[in-house]
Amino acid sequence: MARRFRPLDSSASALLPGHCAGCAFWESPERLPLECGAVCDAERVSAWMRGIEESWGSCGRIVVDDGAPLGFVKYAPASAVPQAQNMPSGPPDPSAALVCCMHIVPEARQRGLGKVLMHAALRDLYQRGERIVQAYGAAGRVDYAISPLVGVEFLLRMGFTAVRPHPEVPLMQLELRSLAAWADNLEAALEALRIPLKMPERRPVPTLRSVCRGEERVVL
């Protein structure tokens, strides 16, 4: 099976790496620390995803290779993301699409997958008629493996600019004026990335262990 993109919807949530399927950070209205797995509630996440699908469509893109996840990006209408109301730099534009989080498995990092995945997300959003995309950036020294935010430097390279500056969590924005930048063959670019064809079995990383529902959890 070739590497491929697929919509991130309730039927694909089980493919998310680690315990991302149960992480309810962005779906929770209570103020939380900026850490993946601050709240784990798979039922809440599934209900949220179904609601987004019914009113707007799938809430992201996921890349799979022979059935194994390589990475994903999650997005939704900004007005439908409860945790966004608690961000230090203020709430997002309610008319924007909000990129919530993006994670790449360790074996596929630093190989260009993030750029291709974000391009797939932007193309999807443009084709849906969205014209403003926002995201909360993680500035400074951040462990992105357990951060629910996307790195500021990465967002800047993708063309985002800060619309609401903040020393740690600026609100970034990109206007989708043209599809030209994302109209190339992303599937071919995905296949061309130098990612190992076979993902080695991932083992727990002691420094990234956390507790979710009383059980040991490994965040990828």
Side-chain angles (χ1 to χ4, degrees):
M1 183 185 299
R3 295 177 192 141
R4 63 189 180 93
F5 298 100
R6 64 167 294 174
L8 177 56
D9 52 27
S10 54
S11 66
S13 62
L15 293 173
L16 294 177
H19 286 257
C20 289
C23 177
F25 177 86
W26 288 106
E27 296 83 358
S28 301
E30 62 270 26
R31 188 179 299 274
L32 298 172
L34 295 175
E35 181 180 340
C36 295
V39 167
C40 293
D41 188 337
E43 293 184 2
R44 178 187 291 183
V45 175
S46 294
W48 179 84
M49 293 180 74
R50 288 194 299 271
I52 297 297
E53 290 169 37
E54 293 171 1
S55 62
W56 189 68
S58 62
C59 61
R61 286 291 180 270
I62 184 169
V63 175
V64 295
D65 184 359
D66 196 20
L70 295 180
F72 73 94
V73 57
K74 180 190 289 187
Y75 45 85
S79 59
V81 183
Q83 191 59 215
Q85 301 302 312
N86 300 321
M87 290 293 104
S89 50
D93 183 338
S95 67
L98 184 70
V99 174
C100 301
C101 57
M102 184 172 71
H103 287 286
I104 309 295
V105 299
E107 300 85 356
R109 293 174 190 162
Q110 305 299 320
R111 299 175 186 271
L113 179 58
K115 178 180 179 180
V116 176
L117 191 55
M118 182 62 80
H119 278 174
L122 297 176
R123 182 170 68 178
D124 177 46
L125 291 171
Y126 182 90
Q127 291 174 340
R128 294 193 200 194
E130 301 292 338
R131 290 299 177 265
I132 298 176
V133 181
Q134 294 187 333
Y136 289 97
R141 301 183 64 179
V142 179
D143 185 349
Y144 294 112
I146 58 173
S147 173
L149 309 178
V150 183
V152 166
E153 292 185 1
F154 174 80
L155 291 171
L156 289 172
R157 290 197 299 271
M158 298 300 299
F160 285 75
T161 58
V163 292
R164 200 172 298 143
H166 187 275
E168 296 178 349
V169 188
L171 179 61
M172 312 292 287
Q173 178 171 299
L174 176 67
E175 294 186 14
L176 300 179
R177 297 182 182 278
S178 171
L179 183 60
W182 314 296
D184 26 324
N185 191 333
L186 295 177
E187 288 73 17
L190 180 63
E191 281 293 316
L193 296 180
R194 295 182 179 276
I195 300 173
L197 295 178
K198 291 293 183 180
M199 293 290 104
E201 182 179 355
R202 296 191 290 278
R203 299 183 181 278
V205 180
T207 57
L208 298 184
R209 289 179 181 176
S210 57
V211 176
C212 181
R213 287 186 174 179
E215 298 180 356
E216 185 176 78
R217 182 172 70 89
V218 179
V219 183
L220 297 179

